[in-house]
Amino acid sequence: MGRHLRHWAVLSISAVVIVSGCGLSNSDVGEASDKVPAFDNFAPHIWSADTDIDLFSRGSELLRAAFEAGYYWSVIEEVDDFFPGYTKALGSDRDVFGNTRFETRSEFLDPVGQTLFAHITDYSATDSTVSGTICKYWISTSEGINGSVHPPTAAYRIELENQGEGPGLPGVVDSDPELGAISDRTPSWDVFGSWKIRSGSWLFGTSGRSGADGEGVPPGCHDWWLQQFQGLTYESPTDQFRSQPEGFVAPVMPLGVQFPGWIGPANVS
């Protein structure tokens, strides 16, 4: 398991890190030792969804924001600077997955590049509730990164509840998956609005398919993983995650482009 995965402990959520300068001017030099460098190592998330799910709907947007903000929550103390409204939507000092905050960013500043692929399945949305399962895996920009040796890596169940009168408008649609800017990796507005994150869980199960208690990994995740990685198998009937075939070599790729990008809210004139 790669070092970035360890930050999320039971969540197994990894991070892409790209080192950049702190941007201190000459007038800042004398105070540099007292300042914490601005965090700007944000992972490109590349999203997809089942064919009957609109990736740009308000419900999908809320799931994406909850997942991505949670990705950084345990290691970025000022998470609301990058995902405005997340702490309010969370409603506590402990995230819904049961992960305590480390409030440190040191290992996230290492020059390691990874792209996270995420997929929405098992989805339901009304004006008052949204729920869905997020399946994921990640691919490194270089060989030999342990965390990318065995995709797929995890699935997560997220549920939100609306405390307002309407669901709110989704953000501006990002129609080009190839042209995302680094600045579009996090939203500049409160995506959550009147929505609260009610629950979240790393999916445990008694089988590789949906368990009777609803806590198994849903078939949509396995279908998506099989599309991405040919030859995935179960090592035993009780495994919830598929395994790579013998001789599998972890893929590598250049750092990806955030998609959909967080371009802006739809209600800004």
Side-chain angles (χ1 to χ4, degrees):
M1 179 177 291
R3 76 188 127 195
H4 300 298
L5 294 178
R6 290 198 298 272
H7 277 296
W8 273 96
V10 299
L11 291 185
S12 299
I13 294 185
S14 60
V16 170
V17 287
I18 313 166
V19 168
S20 62
C22 302
L24 298 178
S25 65
N26 291 336
S27 62
D28 294 321
V29 171
E31 304 176 16
S33 61
D34 299 324
K35 292 191 174 182
V36 177
F39 190 93
D40 55 7
N41 296 335
F42 292 99
H45 286 62
I46 298 179
W47 286 88
S48 59
D50 287 355
T51 55
D52 60 342
I53 299 172
D54 181 359
L55 187 60
F56 302 101
S57 68
R58 181 67 171 131
S60 293
E61 177 183 72
L62 288 163
L63 289 173
R64 291 191 289 110
F67 180 85
E68 291 189 25
Y71 182 105
Y72 300 107
W73 184 87
S74 68
V75 293
I76 306 178
E77 185 174 5
E78 66 279 33
V79 66
D80 285 299
D81 290 349
F82 308 106
F83 290 87
Y86 177 68
T87 300
K88 171 176 62 68
L90 203 58
S92 73
D93 60 357
R94 185 179 177 90
D95 80 358
V96 289
F97 293 94
N99 186 51
T100 56
R101 298 195 72 178
F102 293 93
E103 296 186 355
T104 180
R105 71 190 75 202
S106 59
E107 291 190 25
F108 272 63
L109 299 178
D110 294 342
V112 178
Q114 301 150 7
T115 300
L116 191 148
F117 292 82
H119 184 83
I120 301 173
T121 188
D122 198 19
Y123 171 84
S124 175
T126 68
D127 286 352
S128 59
T129 61
V130 168
S131 62
T133 299
I134 312 300
C135 335
K136 83 168 185 81
Y137 66 90
W138 55 276
I139 295 180
S140 175
T141 58
S142 58
E143 297 179 357
I145 305 299
N146 289 338
S148 67
V149 171
H150 298 294
T153 51
Y156 308 89
R157 183 71 181 170
I158 299 175
E159 298 178 2
L160 301 98
E161 181 181 64
N162 189 11
Q163 294 188 339
E165 294 183 359
L169 297 174
V172 176
V173 172
D174 179 4
S175 60
D176 195 332
E178 302 297 328
L179 296 178
I182 291 177
S183 60
D184 295 336
R185 290 182 185 171
T186 61
S188 60
W189 74 100
D190 182 354
V191 175
F192 301 98
S194 58
W195 290 82
K196 301 295 183 181
I197 302 169
R198 289 307 186 198
S199 65
S201 57
W202 184 37
L203 294 182
F204 295 90
T206 57
S207 71
R209 296 174 176 79
S210 295
D213 57 0
E215 290 299 309
V217 177
C221 284
H222 294 292
D223 292 343
W224 179 63
W225 285 327
L226 281 168
Q227 291 173 3
Q228 312 306 308
F229 301 98
Q230 301 297 318
L232 291 174
T233 60
Y234 291 118
E235 291 186 358
S236 74
T238 59
D239 288 342
Q240 68 160 341
F241 296 120
R242 292 183 180 268
S243 302
Q244 294 292 354
E246 184 177 354
F248 171 76
V249 177
V252 297
M253 60 171 279
L255 198 66
V257 173
Q258 174 80 24
F259 181 79
W262 296 104
I263 297 174
N267 58 348
V268 173
S269 58

